Structures are given as C-alpha cells and as structure tokens.
Amino acid sequence: MAGHTITEKILARASRSEVVHPGQIVDGSVDLLYMHEMLAMALLPFNEIGTLKVWDPSKIVVTLDHWVPPPTPEIAKMHQTIREFCRTQGIQRFHDVGDHGIVHQLIAERGYAQPWDLVIGSDSHTNMVGAVGAFAAGIGATDTAAVMATGRLWLRVPETLRVDIHGRLSERTGAKDVILKVIGTTGDDGARYAAVEFTGPTVKAFPMNERFVLCNMTTEMGAKVGMIEADQVTKEYLAHAGRPFREIRSDEDAAFAKTFTIDVDGMGPQVACPSNPANLKPVEEVEGTKIDVAFLGSCTNARIEDLRIAAGLLKGEKVARGVRFQITPASQNIYRQALKEGLIEIFMDAGATFTSSTCGPCFGGHMGTLAGDEVCISSTNRNYPGRMGSPQAQVYLASPWTVTASAIHGEIRDPRKV
Amino acid sequence: MRWMIHQFRGPVWTFGDDISTDHIISGKYLGTTDSKAFAAHAFEAVDPTWAKKVKAGDLIVAGDNFGCGSSREQAPIALKTLGVSAILANSFARIFFRNAINLGFPVLECPGLRRKVNAGDVLEVDMARGEVRLPSGEITRFNALPPNVLEILEAGGLVAKIRAELSPKSS
Ligand code: SF4
C-alpha cells in the first residue's frame, strides 16, 4: 500500500475520507479560519449569503494588520465595522489595535494553528503557517464569506513537490537566502496549485523562525500550501499553547510529484532583483547598487531573531546618510521583546526608524511607501511593480543580514564583509 | 448547459507573463470596499489610462501565471466591474482563479493562446463548446473546467450557489 503525504493525510481527515488522491476535489471542514481587514470585503458576500451568523465563532481568529493604526477616516471606519462584527458574532479571538500583529505571525506565535489542522486564511501568505505541519491555504473574499457561513471549503487535493535541502550555509546566510534560491530555481509559478514540502538536514536543523520563512515564500512559487513535518522543534515551539501535540510527516513511500534536491553547501546571501521574486542574483553580483530605503519588516522576516540580527550589525554603527532604514516588527509581542532586550535603543542610536507592527510598507499601503525614483532593499516577499509604492520604484528582496548591511553602507552589501 | 451568456465576442487587450495582482490593482487603493474605486485604477501600474480605455465586452488575453501575488479579490472585481467579459491566459495563479470563478467571472486556461493573438484582435469564445475562434478562423480549445467549478460559474458565482443550496428546495 502506497503511503501518503502530509497534505493527503490532513485533507483525508478534514473531509472524513479514508484516503484522498491528488486531483480529487474534497469538501473540507475548516479547523481554523483567520482574517485581517479582508473581513470587511468578505462581509458583502457574507451578508448576501444571508446566514447571519458565522458557523462557529470559536474557530475564527481576526486581527487588524494591514492598516495599523488606520491612516484614513475610511479605514478607521473599516476597523469599526470589523470590531463591531466580531463583537456581535461572539468572536473572542479578535486582536484589536494594541494587541495586534501581522496575522500569520500572530497565528503562529499564539499557537492557534497545530499540526493536522486545516487552516484557511484570508491572505495569500497563509502558506507560512504550514511550517507547523498544518495544511494552511490562502483564499479571497468570497471564499472567506463561504467559510464564515458554512465552515467548509472545496479544495483540490494538490500534488506535493518535495524540496530536499542539504548542506551548510555560509556565514550570515539563512532561510531567506535558501528560499530565494529555491524560487530562482523553480520560477515564480514553479509550484502552481501544488503543495511544497521542505525536508532534508538543512531544514530539520532550522529553528521555527527560519522554517516560517521557507513556507511563507512558497506563495512566490505559486504554491497552494507550504509545509514542514511537525517534529520536536515544532513541539517545543507550540508547547506554550497547551494543546495536545501530534506529530505529522509524509510516509517514506508517499508519491511526490517531483523532488528538487538543492545543495546549499557554502552558499552565500542571495538577492531577488526588480521586479520579480524569481529574478535571482547572488549578492556579489549586485553589490554596490545604491539604495535610498532599507526595510526590515513583514510576515517574512520581522521576528525577534531578525531584529536581533539587525541590532547585532547596527550596534555602534550608523545608517548611511540619505538612507531611511525602517524596522517594523511582525507583532506587538515582538515589539515588547525588542524593547526588553534593548534592541530599539540600538536602532534609534543608529538612526533607524522603529514603528508599531503593521503590513503597511510591505504592500505600499501606508507608513513608508516608495517614490518613483527610489531604490529599496527589503526583507519582504514580493517586488512586483508597484508593490511597495510607485510602480517605478525598484525593490530588491534579501535577508535581514543583507538588508541591514546595505542600510549601513547606503548600497547593497554582502553582509559577510561588514 | 445553462449559460446566461454562453458566447462572448470582443476585442482583446494583451498582457505578458506573471501579471500580478499588484499590476492589476495597487495596494494603495485597497482602503475601501467600493468596487468602482478599484475599477478606476485597474492596470494603472502598466498603463495609467487603461481603465478609461477598456470597454464593456472587451477580453483579456495573457501569458503564464496571470493574477499571481496577493489574495486580493479586488483584482478580479476591478476587471469585472469594468465589464471585461472573460480572461483567457496560458495559465492562472490559483487564488486569482478561485476568486474570479467565485464572482462568476469566466477565466479560461488556454495554453499557447497568447502567442497567437495580437492586441485588438476580435475573438469569439464559445463556453459550451470550449472553443476560441481567432480572426484567422483558427479554433483553439481551452481546458475544460472541473465540474464543481463549472457549477459555480453556471450559478453566477459562489454566493448564488450557496444561497440556492441553503434555501428550501422548490422542486
Ligand atoms: S506583511 Fe506583507 S506579505 Fe505579509 S501579510 Fe502583510 S502585506 Fe501580506
């Protein structure tokens, strides 16, 4: 009997089927639905469906993240609508401004998603949460409304692409460089409709913060979900949530559509150049490119470990003249931790700007957008034209090490040389 | 088949590969829920006057991976609001595809079509037959939609389908 992938195991459980196979359409019972401001867009179709009540308020989490704090009266109003909806629907896990975080980070750090869960999020980077061994997929507003009303979602069981990563990375090189390399290899649609599962010694040695980076950017491969087996590292990360933990892994004899074996031994920092996440160059080839803005933020790379990297490089240094370096933590919890550890003071002394947690700059929404002639190096996940502001702005994607080293030098810099 | 409009005929706007939702509607315009506001800025990053030039009944033909990027349903909403009757692409990104279908907006995967089509060509799309007729008379087939997806499209979108399922059966 052939074995099954993590995806197949979770979707079989969620659809109460004995087994499921790639290509099959299943009707999944959702264990966790999470939303940010897209809830406001989803209310239009939700009200049209007309069930009036959500299917199960205890399975829903909502936070505000895209526009925190609200930059316009219209968005403040949108937040009011969401707040009011959560109150009347009895959604207890509503994380309002003050208790907020970028939704994927908030879900991860609060332990809301567990291995074996079918998790649906109203955002394309829901893939990140699959790093805990969940099936976590992003959807749009109408699908969100459908899940709110019925607790169910049709899903095509995806094929699984396995990405097997070996080797020891060079210094000051991490998961961000690895995933940029993977995307550079597969292209930005190399995993369209598929599940991507990371494995191999390099991945198993990564702590959770790095595993989240890998799964986060499977979205930039076109993947439906990204995932990593739930092991001891996962268990320790989720321990504080106090929920029973069940390991999950693909069977040895499961059918993978394809396996990419990537040797990263000695690999150094990588950079995705304008204006596609797959437009990859090793850092050496873009060194010296002048920058105007450096941004350390987003669900991809703004966890406490990333902030520590930035602080380590910035200590006793200054951000280059004429460069604005903005650091935006991925959640309030991370903000608090950075405060405790004295990181914020280091950022301020160096001349960087430290802000409250929000998606703002990452999607060009507010609190730091780019002018047409600006060049930015960013720890985020996308650099399509117009993503961070003007369509003419040039955005390079890189690791927290490379972003910080570049901020100090005013040009793209190999962090190993700082 | 119960297509309300089962045939489209219209001139084509062409786009390349990897057209992202950021190309279609920039993040800076998302601070509202007004579909006309999204429509007014559609494809601004590509051509600032596009939203003024496109007409109801026009078609879009694109290359690979159309609609990649974010889950923002505002992207297909903008194009549908402008009256684009269908999008034909070599391939679509998954969330964009679902979102469009959920809105009852036909998105048809037609591998290899892009290189056969020039801007302004008038195409005929026959949903029931699964065919696209090029100006030369050549006929190309698009990939058949899975039955459950077809059901959503035929119902006029996911909301209409769920409403029909929830309401007491009239038959
Ligand atoms: S930080 Fe950026 S990529 Fe992440 S959820 Fe927010 S807008 Fe999306």
Side-chain angles (χ1 to χ4, degrees):
Chain A
M1 201 182 84
H4 301 287
T5 63
I6 298 176
T7 286
E8 290 153 17
K9 291 181 187 191
I10 298 176
L11 291 183
R13 187 197 57 73
S15 64
R16 295 169 190 260
S17 316
E18 191 96 0
V19 289
V20 299
H21 299 289
Q24 189 180 333
I25 307 275
V26 298
D27 186 25
S29 261
V30 174
D31 299 299
L32 171 68
L33 169 69
Y34 70 75
M35 295 173 273
H36 48 44
E37 284 95 336
M38 197 214 267
L39 173 54
M41 280 300 291
L43 282 184
L44 309 165
F46 178 74
N47 291 336
E48 256 184 86
I49 292 171
T51 55
L52 304 176
K53 287 300 250 178
V54 298
W55 101 102
D56 184 349
S58 73
K59 291 190 171 156
I60 297 179
V61 176
V62 178
T63 189
L64 301 171
D65 65 6
H66 270 54
W67 294 277
V68 175
T72 67
E74 207 168 9
I75 291 165
K77 185 81 209 155
M78 187 192 276
H79 283 186
Q80 276 182 356
T81 305
I82 292 169
R83 199 170 285 129
E84 183 57 17
F85 180 80
C86 290
R87 196 182 62 74
T88 56
Q89 294 282 336
I91 297 169
Q92 304 283 334
R93 292 184 293 179
F94 169 56
H95 296 272
D96 206 338
V97 177
D99 182 34
H100 60 280
I102 298 173
V103 71
H104 314 298
Q105 174 60 23
L106 185 120
I107 296 294
E109 73 187 20
R110 312 256 172 154
Y112 289 157
Q114 296 282 328
W116 287 92
D117 280 352
L118 171 55
V119 178
I120 297 297
S122 72
D123 187 279
S124 62
H125 287 99
T126 301
N127 296 34
M128 181 185 113
V129 168
V132 303
F135 182 98
I139 53 171
T142 303
D143 271 333
T144 299
V147 177
M148 278 203 279
T150 66
R152 316 189 69 80
L153 188 71
W154 71 266
L155 292 157
R156 179 185 164 281
V157 180
E159 292 76 18
T160 298
L161 302 183
R162 185 143 66 155
V163 181
D164 191 353
I165 303 171
H166 297 259
R168 220 190 152 87
L169 292 164
S170 178
E171 259 184 287
R172 296 185 170 174
T173 306
K176 179 61 157 288
D177 305 293
V178 172
I179 189 64
L180 289 175
K181 179 76 182 174
V182 172
I183 298 166
T185 308
T186 63
D188 77 341
D189 66 344
R192 238 169 8 95
Y193 299 118
V196 173
E197 185 182 324
F198 296 98
T199 187
T202 311
V203 175
K204 289 187 181 159
F206 274 147
M208 285 309 294
N209 69 299
E210 291 284 72
R211 295 182 182 192
F212 287 128
V213 177
L214 295 180
C215 290
N216 182 289
M217 289 193 70
T218 57
T219 304
E220 280 60 51
M221 303 163 71
K224 181 175 211 143
V225 288
M227 49 183 55
I228 296 173
E229 66 179 49
D231 59 9
Q232 196 56 32
V233 175
T234 325
K235 186 176 178 182
E236 278 163 28
Y237 180 83
L238 293 174
H240 71 93
R243 279 176 55 185
F245 178 87
R246 248 180 93 202
E247 288 194 353
I248 187 167
R249 68 169 55 85
S250 291
D251 297 327
E252 278 310 315
D253 57 345
F256 295 98
K258 198 167 181 180
T259 298
F260 292 93
T261 305
I262 299 192
D263 182 1
V264 296
D265 207 46
M267 187 185 87
Q270 306 289 313
V271 178
C273 301
S275 293
N276 188 301
N279 189 11
L280 186 77
K281 295 223 168 90
V283 71
E284 295 87 344
E285 287 182 30
V286 284
E287 262 196 301
T289 307
K290 293 260 177 286
I291 59 156
D292 304 288
V293 179
F295 177 55
L296 183 71
S298 87
C299 54
T300 318
N301 272 121
R303 277 171 276 280
I304 191 68
E305 294 84 354
D306 303 316
L307 270 47
R308 287 181 192 136
I309 288 170
L313 292 180
L314 280 175
K315 192 155 193 175
E317 297 280 352
K318 288 273 180 222
V319 173
R321 261 186 101 82
V323 169
R324 67 173 195 272
F325 185 17
Q326 180 174 332
I327 302 171
T328 299
S331 71
Q332 284 288 81
N333 283 354
I334 297 168
Y335 191 121
R336 189 192 305 274
Q337 187 64 25
L339 187 66
K340 264 196 208 151
E341 294 182 17
L343 308 185
I344 301 177
E345 195 167 1
I346 296 172
F347 301 149
M348 308 283 291
D349 287 347
T353 305
F354 189 78
T355 79
S356 173
S357 175
T358 183
C359 292
C362 172
F363 75 106
H366 67 115
M367 205 137 91
T369 52
L370 303 179
D373 54 358
E374 284 185 321
V375 177
C376 173
I377 188 158
S378 174
S379 76
T380 55
N381 48 35
R382 277 191 194 128
N383 59 351
Y384 295 114
R387 173 67 180 172
M388 295 183 71
S390 165
Q392 281 75 45
Q394 305 273 301
V395 178
Y396 293 82
L397 304 177
S399 74
W401 273 292
T402 310
V403 167
T404 310
S406 305
I408 295 169
H409 291 275
E411 55 183 47
I412 297 178
R413 186 58 79 96
D414 184 336
R416 294 168 300 180
K417 296 184 194 158
V418 177
Chain B
M1 291 271 196
R2 293 168 281 129
W3 291 107
M4 306 257 275
I5 307 171
H6 50 83
Q7 284 171 331
F8 310 108
R9 184 170 186 282
V12 160
W13 294 91
T14 52
F15 293 91
D17 296 334
D18 298 320
I19 297 296
S20 73
T21 53
D22 288 308
H23 289 89
I24 303 170
I25 175 80
S26 165
K28 57 181 173 286
Y29 300 123
L30 302 181
T32 168
T33 52
D34 176 8
S35 50
K36 290 205 186 65
F38 308 137
H41 298 287
F43 278 123
E44 196 176 83
V46 179
D47 172 357
T49 60
W50 191 81
K52 290 209 174 65
K53 294 186 289 199
V54 65
K55 295 204 172 55
D58 288 358
L59 298 166
I60 287 176
V61 174
D64 297 334
N65 203 25
F66 187 85
C68 59
S70 84
S71 60
R72 62 185 73 143
E73 199 158 311
Q74 291 91 336
I77 289 174
L79 301 178
K80 191 180 180 219
T81 304
L82 288 167
V84 172
S85 51
I87 305 174
L88 299 106
N90 292 348
S91 64
F92 290 91
R94 61 165 284 272
I95 303 182
F96 184 91
F97 182 84
R98 277 189 86 111
N99 286 346
I101 296 292
N102 286 343
L103 295 169
F105 185 13
V107 278
L108 305 170
E109 225 165 45
C110 208
L113 178 68
R114 174 66 189 86
R115 65 186 155 73
K116 297 183 189 165
V117 173
N118 296 310
D121 283 359
V122 174
L123 302 190
E124 284 173 37
V125 181
D126 188 321
M127 294 292 293
R129 288 171 185 269
E131 290 177 356
V132 182
R133 183 190 288 268
L134 303 172
S136 64
E138 185 189 336
I139 300 227
T140 307
R141 298 193 62 80
F142 52 82
N143 293 345
L145 294 162
N148 71 311
V149 168
L150 209 52
E151 263 179 47
I152 298 171
L153 211 47
E154 285 185 336
L158 186 62
V159 168
K161 179 167 178 279
I162 294 175
R163 279 180 63 110
E165 283 165 2
L166 291 176
S167 68
K169 294 274 174 298
S170 47
S171 58

